[in-house]
Amino acid sequence: MDCHKTHDTLAISDIVNLEELEKKASKTIEFPLLAATTGNAIALFTMLVLQEMIEQLAVNPIANITNIIQLSNSIANLNSSIKTIQ
């Protein structure tokens, strides 16, 4: 058993009310436009956080090149997950 995984799960459960999130997710699924908008907002927010992290790593790009590339790939993947809302 991976004790780090168990610890992370417990920490998330302590911070976030998972039952409340499940209720919100169920309501959001009922409205596809809202679900797409919510997903886009989460993806965009995450992309901006990753961009900030890249800017911090860019202070020493030689030492952080691997992390910069990984974060850049993550941003690209998130970008491809954004849905067109009609």
Coordinates of all heavy atoms in Angstrom, one line a residue:
M1 N 0.8 -1.2 0.0 CA 0.0 0.0 0.0 C 0.9 1.2 0.0 O 1.8 1.3 0.7 CB -0.9 0.0 1.2 CG -1.8 1.1 1.3 SD -2.9 0.9 2.7 CE -3.8 2.3 2.7
D2 N 0.6 2.2 -0.8 CA 1.3 3.4 -0.9 C 0.9 4.4 0.1 O -0.2 5.0 0.0 CB 1.1 4.0 -2.3 CG 2.0 5.2 -2.6 OD1 2.6 5.7 -1.6 OD2 2.0 5.7 -3.7
C3 N 1.7 4.6 1.2 CA 1.3 5.4 2.3 C 1.2 6.9 1.9 O 0.4 7.6 2.4 CB 2.2 5.2 3.5 SG 3.9 5.8 3.2
H4 N 1.9 7.3 0.9 CA 1.8 8.7 0.4 C 0.5 9.0 -0.2 O -0.1 10.0 0.0 CB 2.9 9.0 -0.6 CG 4.3 9.1 0.1 ND1 4.7 10.0 1.0 CD2 5.4 8.3 -0.1 CE1 5.9 9.8 1.4 NE2 6.4 8.7 0.7
K5 N 0.0 8.0 -1.0 CA -1.3 8.1 -1.6 C -2.4 8.2 -0.6 O -3.3 9.0 -0.7 CB -1.5 7.0 -2.6 CG -2.7 7.2 -3.5 CD -2.8 6.1 -4.6 CE -3.8 6.5 -5.6 NZ -3.8 5.6 -6.7
T6 N -2.3 7.3 0.4 CA -3.3 7.4 1.5 C -3.3 8.7 2.2 O -4.3 9.3 2.5 CB -3.1 6.2 2.5 OG1 -3.1 5.0 1.7 CG2 -4.1 6.2 3.6
H7 N -2.1 9.2 2.5 CA -2.0 10.5 3.2 C -2.5 11.6 2.3 O -3.3 12.5 2.9 CB -0.5 10.7 3.5 CG -0.3 12.1 4.1 ND1 -0.6 12.4 5.4 CD2 0.3 13.2 3.6 CE1 -0.3 13.6 5.7 NE2 0.2 14.2 4.6
D8 N -2.2 11.6 1.0 CA -2.8 12.7 0.2 C -4.3 12.6 0.1 O -4.9 13.7 0.1 CB -2.2 12.5 -1.2 CG -0.7 12.8 -1.3 OD1 -0.2 13.5 -0.4 OD2 -0.1 12.5 -2.3
T9 N -4.9 11.4 0.1 CA -6.3 11.3 0.0 C -6.9 11.8 1.3 O -7.9 12.5 1.3 CB -6.7 9.8 -0.2 OG1 -6.1 9.4 -1.4 CG2 -8.2 9.6 -0.3
L10 N -6.3 11.5 2.4 CA -6.8 11.9 3.7 C -6.7 13.5 3.8 O -7.7 14.1 4.3 CB -6.1 11.3 4.9 CG -6.3 9.8 5.1 CD1 -5.4 9.3 6.2 CD2 -7.8 9.5 5.4
A11 N -5.7 14.0 3.3 CA -5.5 15.5 3.4 C -6.5 16.2 2.5 O -7.1 17.2 2.9 CB -4.1 15.9 2.9
I12 N -6.8 15.6 1.3 CA -7.8 16.2 0.5 C -9.2 16.1 1.1 O -10.0 17.1 1.1 CB -7.8 15.6 -0.9 CG1 -6.5 16.0 -1.6 CG2 -9.0 16.0 -1.8 CD1 -6.2 15.2 -2.9
S13 N -9.5 15.0 1.7 CA -10.8 14.8 2.3 C -11.0 15.7 3.5 O -12.1 16.2 3.8 CB -10.9 13.3 2.8 OG -10.9 12.4 1.8
D14 N -9.9 16.0 4.2 CA -10.0 17.0 5.3 C -10.3 18.4 4.9 O -10.9 19.2 5.5 CB -8.7 16.9 6.2 CG -8.5 15.6 6.9 OD1 -9.5 14.9 7.1 OD2 -7.4 15.3 7.3
I15 N -9.7 18.8 3.7 CA -9.9 20.1 3.2 C -11.2 20.3 2.4 O -11.8 21.3 2.6 CB -8.7 20.5 2.3 CG1 -7.4 20.5 3.1 CG2 -8.8 21.8 1.6 CD1 -6.1 20.6 2.3
V16 N -11.5 19.4 1.7 CA -12.7 19.5 0.7 C -13.8 18.6 1.2 O -13.6 17.4 1.6 CB -12.2 19.1 -0.7 CG1 -13.4 19.1 -1.6 CG2 -11.1 20.0 -1.2
N17 N -15.0 19.1 1.2 CA -16.2 18.3 1.5 C -16.6 17.6 0.2 O -17.2 18.1 -0.7 CB -17.3 19.2 2.0 CG -18.6 18.5 2.3 OD1 -18.8 17.3 1.9 ND2 -19.4 19.1 3.1
L18 N -16.2 16.3 0.1 CA -16.4 15.5 -1.1 C -17.8 15.3 -1.4 O -18.2 15.3 -2.6 CB -15.6 14.2 -1.0 CG -14.1 14.3 -0.9 CD1 -13.5 12.9 -0.7 CD2 -13.5 15.1 -2.1
E19 N -18.7 15.1 -0.4 CA -20.1 15.0 -0.6 C -20.7 16.2 -1.3 O -21.5 16.1 -2.2 CB -20.8 14.6 0.7 CG -20.5 13.2 1.2 CD -21.2 12.9 2.5 OE1 -22.2 13.6 2.8 OE2 -20.8 12.0 3.2
E20 N -20.3 17.4 -0.8 CA -20.8 18.6 -1.3 C -20.4 18.8 -2.8 O -21.1 19.2 -3.6 CB -20.4 19.8 -0.5 CG -21.0 21.1 -0.9 CD -22.5 21.1 -0.6 OE1 -23.0 20.5 0.3 OE2 -23.2 21.8 -1.4
L21 N -19.1 18.5 -3.1 CA -18.6 18.5 -4.4 C -19.4 17.6 -5.3 O -19.6 17.9 -6.5 CB -17.1 18.2 -4.5 CG -16.2 19.3 -4.0 CD1 -14.7 18.9 -4.1 CD2 -16.4 20.6 -4.8
E22 N -19.7 16.4 -4.9 CA -20.4 15.4 -5.7 C -21.8 16.0 -6.0 O -22.3 15.9 -7.1 CB -20.5 14.1 -4.9 CG -21.2 13.0 -5.8 CD -21.2 11.7 -5.1 OE1 -20.7 11.6 -4.0 OE2 -21.8 10.8 -5.7
K23 N -22.4 16.6 -5.0 CA -23.8 17.2 -5.3 C -23.7 18.3 -6.4 O -24.5 18.4 -7.3 CB -24.3 17.8 -4.0 CG -24.8 16.8 -3.0 CD -25.3 17.5 -1.7 CE -25.6 16.5 -0.6 NZ -26.0 17.2 0.6
K24 N -22.7 19.2 -6.2 CA -22.5 20.3 -7.2 C -22.2 19.7 -8.6 O -22.7 20.2 -9.6 CB -21.3 21.2 -6.8 CG -21.7 22.1 -5.6 CD -20.5 22.9 -5.2 CE -20.8 23.8 -4.0 NZ -19.7 24.7 -3.6
A25 N -21.4 18.6 -8.6 CA -21.0 18.0 -9.9 C -22.3 17.4 -10.6 O -22.5 17.6 -11.8 CB -20.0 17.0 -9.7
S26 N -23.1 16.8 -9.8 CA -24.4 16.2 -10.3 C -25.3 17.3 -10.9 O -25.9 17.1 -11.9 CB -25.1 15.4 -9.2 OG -24.3 14.3 -8.8
K27 N -25.4 18.4 -10.2 CA -26.2 19.5 -10.7 C -25.6 20.1 -12.0 O -26.4 20.4 -12.9 CB -26.3 20.6 -9.6 CG -27.2 20.2 -8.5 CD -27.3 21.4 -7.4 CE -28.1 21.0 -6.2 NZ -28.2 22.0 -5.2
T28 N -24.3 20.2 -12.0 CA -23.7 20.8 -13.2 C -23.9 19.9 -14.4 O -24.1 20.4 -15.5 CB -22.2 21.0 -12.9 OG1 -22.0 21.8 -11.8 CG2 -21.4 21.6 -14.1
I29 N -23.8 18.6 -14.2 CA -24.0 17.7 -15.3 C -25.4 17.8 -16.0 O -25.6 17.6 -17.2 CB -23.8 16.2 -14.8 CG1 -22.4 16.0 -14.4 CG2 -24.2 15.2 -15.9 CD1 -21.4 16.1 -15.4
E30 N -26.4 18.3 -15.2 CA -27.7 18.5 -15.7 C -27.8 19.6 -16.8 O -28.7 19.7 -17.5 CB -28.7 18.8 -14.6 CG -28.9 17.6 -13.6 CD -29.7 18.0 -12.4 OE1 -30.4 19.1 -12.4 OE2 -29.7 17.2 -11.5
F31 N -26.8 20.5 -16.7 CA -26.7 21.6 -17.6 C -25.4 21.6 -18.4 O -24.4 22.1 -17.9 CB -26.8 22.9 -16.8 CG -28.1 23.0 -16.0 CD1 -28.0 22.7 -14.6 CD2 -29.3 23.4 -16.5 CE1 -29.2 22.8 -13.9 CE2 -30.4 23.5 -15.8 CZ -30.4 23.2 -14.4
P32 N -25.4 21.0 -19.6 CA -24.2 20.8 -20.3 C -23.4 22.1 -20.6 O -22.2 22.1 -20.5 CB -24.7 20.1 -21.6 CG -26.0 19.5 -21.3 CD -26.6 20.4 -20.2
L33 N -24.1 23.1 -20.9 CA -23.4 24.4 -21.1 C -22.7 24.9 -19.9 O -21.5 25.3 -20.0 CB -24.4 25.5 -21.5 CG -23.9 26.8 -22.0 CD1 -23.0 26.7 -23.2 CD2 -25.0 27.8 -22.2
L34 N -23.3 24.7 -18.7 CA -22.6 25.1 -17.5 C -21.4 24.2 -17.2 O -20.4 24.6 -16.8 CB -23.6 25.0 -16.3 CG -23.1 25.3 -14.9 CD1 -22.5 26.8 -14.9 CD2 -24.1 25.2 -13.9
A35 N -21.6 22.9 -17.5 CA -20.5 21.9 -17.3 C -19.3 22.3 -18.2 O -18.1 22.3 -17.7 CB -20.9 20.5 -17.6
A36 N -19.5 22.6 -19.5 CA -18.4 23.0 -20.4 C -17.8 24.3 -19.9 O -16.6 24.5 -19.9 CB -19.0 23.2 -21.8
T37 N -18.6 25.3 -19.5 CA -18.1 26.6 -19.0 C -17.2 26.3 -17.7 O -16.1 26.9 -17.6 CB -19.2 27.5 -18.7 OG1 -20.0 27.7 -19.9 CG2 -18.7 28.9 -18.2
T38 N -17.7 25.5 -16.8 CA -17.0 25.2 -15.6 C -15.7 24.5 -15.9 O -14.6 24.9 -15.4 CB -17.8 24.3 -14.6 OG1 -19.0 25.0 -14.3 CG2 -17.1 24.0 -13.4
G39 N -15.7 23.5 -16.8 CA -14.5 22.8 -17.2 C -13.5 23.8 -17.8 O -12.3 23.7 -17.5
N40 N -13.9 24.7 -18.7 CA -13.1 25.6 -19.3 C -12.4 26.5 -18.3 O -11.2 26.9 -18.4 CB -13.8 26.5 -20.4 CG -14.1 25.7 -21.6 OD1 -13.6 24.6 -21.8 ND2 -15.0 26.2 -22.4
A41 N -13.2 27.0 -17.3 CA -12.7 27.9 -16.3 C -11.6 27.2 -15.4 O -10.6 27.8 -15.1 CB -13.8 28.4 -15.4
I42 N -11.9 25.9 -15.1 CA -10.9 25.2 -14.3 C -9.6 25.0 -15.1 O -8.5 25.2 -14.6 CB -11.5 23.8 -13.9 CG1 -12.6 24.1 -12.8 CG2 -10.4 22.9 -13.3 CD1 -13.4 22.8 -12.5
A43 N -9.7 24.6 -16.4 CA -8.6 24.4 -17.3 C -7.8 25.7 -17.4 O -6.6 25.7 -17.3 CB -9.0 23.9 -18.6
L44 N -8.5 26.8 -17.6 CA -7.8 28.1 -17.8 C -7.1 28.5 -16.5 O -6.0 29.0 -16.5 CB -8.8 29.2 -18.2 CG -8.2 30.6 -18.4 CD1 -7.2 30.6 -19.5 CD2 -9.3 31.5 -18.8
F45 N -7.8 28.4 -15.4 CA -7.2 28.7 -14.1 C -5.9 27.9 -13.9 O -4.8 28.4 -13.5 CB -8.1 28.5 -12.9 CG -7.5 28.7 -11.6 CD1 -7.4 29.9 -11.0 CD2 -7.1 27.6 -10.8 CE1 -6.8 30.1 -9.8 CE2 -6.5 27.8 -9.6 CZ -6.4 29.0 -9.1
T46 N -6.0 26.6 -14.1 CA -4.8 25.7 -14.0 C -3.7 26.1 -14.9 O -2.5 26.1 -14.5 CB -5.2 24.3 -14.2 OG1 -6.3 23.9 -13.3 CG2 -4.0 23.3 -13.9
M47 N -4.0 26.5 -16.1 CA -3.0 26.9 -17.1 C -2.3 28.2 -16.6 O -1.1 28.3 -16.7 CB -3.7 27.2 -18.4 CG -4.1 26.0 -19.2 SD -5.2 26.3 -20.6 CE -4.1 27.1 -21.7
L48 N -3.0 29.1 -16.0 CA -2.4 30.3 -15.5 C -1.5 30.1 -14.3 O -0.5 30.7 -14.1 CB -3.5 31.3 -15.1 CG -4.3 31.9 -16.3 CD1 -5.5 32.7 -15.8 CD2 -3.4 32.7 -17.2
V49 N -1.9 29.1 -13.4 CA -1.1 28.7 -12.3 C 0.2 28.1 -12.8 O 1.3 28.4 -12.3 CB -1.8 27.8 -11.3 CG1 -0.9 27.1 -10.3 CG2 -3.0 28.4 -10.6
L50 N 0.1 27.2 -13.8 CA 1.3 26.6 -14.4 C 2.2 27.6 -15.0 O 3.4 27.5 -15.0 CB 0.9 25.5 -15.3 CG 0.2 24.3 -14.7 CD1 -0.3 23.3 -15.8 CD2 1.1 23.6 -13.7
Q51 N 1.6 28.6 -15.7 CA 2.4 29.7 -16.3 C 3.2 30.5 -15.2 O 4.4 30.8 -15.4 CB 1.5 30.7 -17.0 CG 2.2 31.8 -17.7 CD 1.3 32.9 -18.3 OE1 0.1 32.7 -18.2 NE2 1.9 33.9 -18.9
E52 N 2.6 30.7 -14.1 CA 3.3 31.4 -13.0 C 4.4 30.5 -12.5 O 5.5 31.0 -12.3 CB 2.3 31.7 -11.8 CG 1.3 32.7 -12.1 CD 1.9 34.1 -12.1 OE1 2.8 34.4 -11.3 OE2 1.3 34.9 -12.9
M53 N 4.2 29.2 -12.5 CA 5.3 28.3 -12.0 C 6.4 28.4 -13.0 O 7.6 28.4 -12.6 CB 4.8 26.9 -11.8 CG 3.8 26.8 -10.7 SD 2.9 25.2 -10.6 CE 4.3 24.1 -10.2
I54 N 6.1 28.4 -14.3 CA 7.2 28.4 -15.4 C 8.0 29.7 -15.2 O 9.2 29.7 -15.4 CB 6.6 28.3 -16.8 CG1 6.1 26.9 -17.0 CG2 7.6 28.7 -17.9 CD1 5.3 26.7 -18.3
E55 N 7.3 30.8 -15.0 CA 8.0 32.1 -14.8 C 8.9 32.0 -13.7 O 10.1 32.6 -13.7 CB 6.9 33.2 -14.6 CG 6.2 33.6 -15.9 CD 5.1 34.6 -15.6 OE1 5.1 35.2 -14.5 OE2 4.3 34.8 -16.5
Q56 N 8.6 31.4 -12.6 CA 9.5 31.2 -11.4 C 10.7 30.3 -11.8 O 11.8 30.6 -11.4 CB 8.7 30.7 -10.2 CG 7.7 31.6 -9.7 CD 6.9 31.0 -8.6 OE1 7.1 29.9 -8.1 NE2 5.9 31.8 -8.1
L57 N 10.4 29.3 -12.5 CA 11.5 28.4 -12.9 C 12.4 29.0 -14.0 O 13.6 28.6 -14.1 CB 10.9 27.1 -13.5 CG 10.2 26.2 -12.5 CD1 9.5 25.0 -13.2 CD2 11.1 25.6 -11.5
A58 N 11.9 29.9 -14.7 CA 12.7 30.6 -15.8 C 13.8 31.5 -15.2 O 14.7 31.8 -16.0 CB 11.8 31.4 -16.7
V59 N 13.8 31.7 -13.9 CA 14.9 32.5 -13.3 C 16.2 31.7 -13.5 O 17.2 32.3 -13.7 CB 14.6 32.7 -11.8 CG1 15.8 33.3 -11.1 CG2 13.4 33.6 -11.7
N60 N 16.1 30.4 -13.5 CA 17.3 29.5 -13.7 C 16.9 28.5 -14.7 O 16.7 27.3 -14.3 CB 17.8 28.9 -12.4 CG 19.1 28.2 -12.5 OD1 19.6 28.1 -13.6 ND2 19.6 27.7 -11.3
P61 N 16.8 28.8 -16.0 CA 16.3 27.9 -17.0 C 17.1 26.6 -17.2 O 16.6 25.6 -17.5 CB 16.2 28.7 -18.2 CG 17.1 29.9 -18.0 CD 17.2 30.1 -16.5
I62 N 18.4 26.8 -17.1 CA 19.3 25.6 -17.3 C 19.0 24.5 -16.3 O 18.9 23.4 -16.6 CB 20.8 26.0 -17.3 CG1 21.1 27.1 -18.3 CG2 21.7 24.8 -17.5 CD1 20.9 26.7 -19.7
A63 N 19.0 24.9 -15.0 CA 18.7 23.9 -14.0 C 17.3 23.4 -14.0 O 17.0 22.3 -13.5 CB 19.0 24.6 -12.6
N64 N 16.4 24.1 -14.5 CA 14.9 23.8 -14.5 C 14.3 23.4 -15.8 O 13.1 23.3 -15.9 CB 14.2 25.0 -13.9 CG 14.6 25.3 -12.5 OD1 14.8 24.4 -11.7 ND2 14.7 26.6 -12.2
I65 N 15.2 23.1 -16.8 CA 14.7 22.9 -18.1 C 13.7 21.7 -18.2 O 12.6 21.8 -18.9 CB 15.8 22.7 -19.2 CG1 15.2 22.7 -20.6 CG2 16.6 21.4 -18.9 CD1 14.7 24.0 -21.1
T66 N 13.9 20.6 -17.5 CA 13.0 19.5 -17.5 C 11.7 19.9 -16.9 O 10.6 19.5 -17.5 CB 13.6 18.3 -16.7 OG1 14.9 18.0 -17.2 CG2 12.7 17.1 -16.7
N67 N 11.6 20.6 -15.8 CA 10.4 21.0 -15.2 C 9.6 22.0 -16.1 O 8.4 21.9 -16.2 CB 10.6 21.6 -13.8 CG 11.1 20.6 -12.8 OD1 10.7 19.4 -12.9 ND2 11.8 21.0 -11.9
I68 N 10.4 22.9 -16.7 CA 9.8 23.8 -17.6 C 9.1 23.1 -18.8 O 8.0 23.4 -19.2 CB 10.8 24.9 -18.1 CG1 11.2 25.8 -17.0 CG2 10.3 25.7 -19.3 CD1 12.4 26.7 -17.3
I69 N 9.8 22.1 -19.4 CA 9.2 21.4 -20.5 C 7.9 20.6 -20.0 O 6.9 20.6 -20.7 CB 10.2 20.4 -21.1 CG1 11.3 21.2 -21.8 CG2 9.6 19.4 -22.0 CD1 12.5 20.4 -22.2
Q70 N 8.0 20.0 -18.9 CA 6.8 19.2 -18.4 C 5.7 20.2 -18.1 O 4.5 19.8 -18.5 CB 7.2 18.5 -17.1 CG 8.1 17.3 -17.3 CD 8.6 16.7 -16.0 OE1 8.5 17.3 -14.9 NE2 9.0 15.4 -16.1
L71 N 5.9 21.3 -17.5 CA 4.8 22.3 -17.3 C 4.3 22.8 -18.6 O 3.0 23.0 -18.8 CB 5.3 23.4 -16.4 CG 5.6 23.1 -14.9 CD1 6.2 24.2 -14.2 CD2 4.3 22.6 -14.3
S72 N 5.1 23.0 -19.6 CA 4.7 23.5 -20.9 C 3.8 22.4 -21.6 O 2.8 22.8 -22.2 CB 5.9 23.8 -21.8 OG 6.6 24.9 -21.2
N73 N 4.2 21.2 -21.4 CA 3.4 20.1 -22.0 C 2.0 20.0 -21.3 O 1.0 19.8 -21.9 CB 4.1 18.8 -21.9 CG 5.2 18.7 -22.9 OD1 5.2 19.3 -23.9 ND2 6.2 17.9 -22.6
S74 N 2.0 20.2 -20.0 CA 0.7 20.2 -19.2 C -0.2 21.4 -19.7 O -1.4 21.1 -19.9 CB 1.0 20.4 -17.7 OG 1.7 19.2 -17.3
I75 N 0.4 22.5 -19.9 CA -0.4 23.6 -20.4 C -1.0 23.3 -21.8 O -2.2 23.6 -22.1 CB 0.4 24.9 -20.5 CG1 0.7 25.4 -19.0 CG2 -0.3 26.0 -21.2 CD1 1.7 26.6 -18.9
A76 N -0.2 22.7 -22.7 CA -0.7 22.4 -24.0 C -1.8 21.3 -23.9 O -2.8 21.4 -24.7 CB 0.5 21.8 -24.8
N77 N -1.7 20.4 -23.0 CA -2.7 19.4 -22.9 C -4.0 20.0 -22.3 O -5.1 19.7 -22.8 CB -2.3 18.2 -21.9 CG -1.2 17.4 -22.6 OD1 -1.1 17.2 -23.8 ND2 -0.4 16.8 -21.7
L78 N -3.9 20.9 -21.4 CA -5.0 21.6 -20.9 C -5.7 22.4 -22.0 O -6.9 22.5 -22.1 CB -4.7 22.5 -19.7 CG -4.4 21.8 -18.4 CD1 -3.7 22.7 -17.4 CD2 -5.7 21.2 -17.8
N79 N -4.9 23.1 -22.8 CA -5.4 23.9 -23.9 C -6.3 23.0 -24.8 O -7.3 23.5 -25.3 CB -4.3 24.6 -24.7 CG -4.8 25.5 -25.7 OD1 -5.6 26.4 -25.4 ND2 -4.3 25.3 -26.9
S80 N -5.8 21.8 -25.1 CA -6.6 21.0 -26.0 C -7.9 20.5 -25.3 O -8.8 19.9 -26.0 CB -5.7 19.8 -26.5 OG -5.4 18.9 -25.4
S81 N -8.0 20.6 -24.0 CA -9.2 20.1 -23.3 C -10.3 21.2 -23.3 O -11.5 20.9 -22.9 CB -8.9 19.7 -21.9 OG -8.7 20.8 -21.1
I82 N -10.0 22.4 -23.7 CA -11.0 23.5 -23.7 C -12.0 23.3 -24.8 O -11.7 23.0 -25.9 CB -10.3 24.9 -23.8 CG1 -9.5 25.1 -22.5 CG2 -11.3 26.0 -24.0 CD1 -8.7 26.4 -22.5
K83 N -13.3 23.4 -24.4 CA -14.4 23.1 -25.3 C -15.0 24.4 -25.8 O -15.0 25.4 -25.1 CB -15.5 22.4 -24.5 CG -15.1 21.1 -23.8 CD -15.0 20.0 -24.7 CE -14.8 18.7 -24.0 NZ -13.4 18.3 -23.8
T84 N -15.4 24.4 -27.1 CA -16.1 25.5 -27.7 C -17.5 25.5 -27.2 O -18.2 24.4 -27.2 CB -16.1 25.4 -29.2 OG1 -14.7 25.3 -29.7 CG2 -16.8 26.5 -29.9
I85 N -17.9 26.6 -26.7 CA -19.3 26.7 -26.1 C -20.2 27.3 -27.2 O -19.9 28.4 -27.7 CB -19.3 27.5 -24.8 CG1 -18.4 26.8 -23.8 CG2 -20.7 27.7 -24.3 CD1 -18.2 27.6 -22.6
Q86 N -21.3 26.7 -27.5 CA -22.2 27.2 -28.5 C -23.6 27.5 -27.9 O -24.1 26.9 -27.1 CB -22.4 26.1 -29.6 CG -21.1 25.8 -30.2 CD -21.2 24.7 -31.3 OE1 -22.3 24.2 -31.6 NE2 -20.1 24.2 -31.8

